[in-house]
Amino acid sequence: MRVLLTGAGGFLGRYVDRTLRARGFRVWSTAAEPARRIHLNLTDPGDVATLVAAVQPDAIVHTAAISDVASCEADAAATERINVEAVAELAAAADSEGAWLVFFSTDQVHDGEHAPYADDAAPAPLHAYGRSKAAAEGAVREVGDRCTVLRVALAYGDSPTGRRSATEMVLEAARTGNPAGLFTDELRSPIYAADLAEAVARILERETAGTFNLGGPEALSRHAFGERVCAAYGLDPATIRPVRAADLDLAPPRPRDLRLVSDRLWRALDVEPHTIDDALAALANGADR
């Protein structure tokens, strides 16, 4: 299968790229770095269709996005262009080529007031990032049914820069000696990036269509997750400190409870995702390097 993968230089894209290649997929990867990958300018309305026509993929996996919440709030035009318009163009190009499309959305399409969220829960985003992803979901579904929309939870693992994942925030605090404040009242369903990549591979192999949550098997606060990271790496838990989001004047507001029910996808794919402790043990032992 010929796969066009966007955002291969990013945290999640790196895992997907590696997993697909190991499974025998022929992968064309786009990223700014390294130079060996294909360049794709998502700000250029014509670049998406041109690249898809040149590669003629059987499937497209779209992980690229502006994902920083503050950046999305600061630049509405760029967020609309990259996170919504480019996705619509990619969906149209995929439909034109008869290619399957896997689109990475986010748990932050929800407002955090009605957890746990099922796969079919209607979006109610609180901020620009969430709104852009909800709009992009709609653009993908409008084109056709040869697609999979994944609402991805808080992901952890090893990123190319060492600073992109939930795990690495805790490790950075330990390395620098500057305690990190982690919320005790913000609940998530953390997903090990290796499990996420395995899910993508099986979705492509089985052409599993629909909108699915993609979270891990356990739900906990960011602070509790940090404590588990410290335990796995033998770090002093004093390198993280408990903070309540409710006590802070956060702008934009953050969803407080984004627990996801992801059982339907894991069953459909015959995958047993790692527990947090097992995944962190593998990471601490260098399994992802």
Side-chain angles (χ1 to χ4, degrees), residues 232-282:
Y233 282 82
L235 301 174
D236 182 356
T239 57
I240 59 171
R241 55 187 176 83
V243 178
R244 278 173 42 87
D247 295 335
L248 304 176
D249 185 18
L250 297 174
R254 303 172 65 108
R256 66 178 183 84
D257 187 348
L258 292 176
R259 288 173 293 146
L260 300 179
V261 179
S262 303
D263 296 349
R264 187 166 69 98
L265 181 61
W266 295 124
R267 284 197 302 268
L269 301 178
D270 296 321
V271 174
E272 185 71 31
H274 288 76
T275 66
I276 290 174
D277 288 338
D278 285 348
L280 291 176

Side-chain angles (χ1 to χ4, degrees), residues 8-183:
F11 168 42
L12 296 180
R14 166 182 171 268
Y15 274 87
V16 174
D17 194 5
R18 184 175 62 186
T19 298
L20 294 184
R21 292 178 189 276
R23 294 281 277 271
F25 291 86
R26 299 175 63 194
V27 183
W28 279 255
S29 301
T30 78
E33 296 292 341
R36 68 176 179 83
R37 294 197 174 104
I38 303 167
H39 178 70
L40 172 62
N41 182 6
L42 291 174
T43 66
D44 183 346
D47 213 28
V48 170
T50 298
L51 179 58
V52 172
V55 174
Q56 296 183 316
D58 300 304
I60 300 170
V61 179
H62 186 48
T63 75
I66 300 175
S67 57
D68 179 71
V69 171
S71 297
C72 289
E73 292 292 328
D75 194 338
T79 299
E80 178 70 15
R81 172 61 220 159
I82 300 297
N83 287 5
V84 183
E85 294 173 6
V87 174
E89 292 160 9
L90 197 61
D95 183 59
S96 178
E97 291 292 332
W100 197 271
L101 176 61
V102 178
F103 170 64
F104 277 32
S105 185
T106 175
D107 57 0
Q108 299 208 39
V109 298
H110 300 303
D111 61 8
E113 298 300 322
H114 303 88
Y117 289 96
D119 297 296
D120 59 356
L126 296 181
H127 45 55
Y129 173 58
R131 289 192 293 272
S132 72
K133 285 294 190 176
E137 285 186 8
V140 169
R141 295 190 201 98
E142 282 180 7
V143 172
D145 57 3
R146 289 180 56 78
C147 63
T148 312
V149 173
L150 298 175
R151 291 174 173 171
V152 179
L154 178 72
Y156 63 96
D158 291 334
S159 74
T161 64
R163 291 182 171 87
R164 290 291 301 277
S165 80
T167 326
E168 292 167 336
M169 291 177 59
V170 179
L171 300 180
E172 179 73 8
R175 285 194 296 265
T176 63
N178 295 321
L182 297 179
F183 295 133

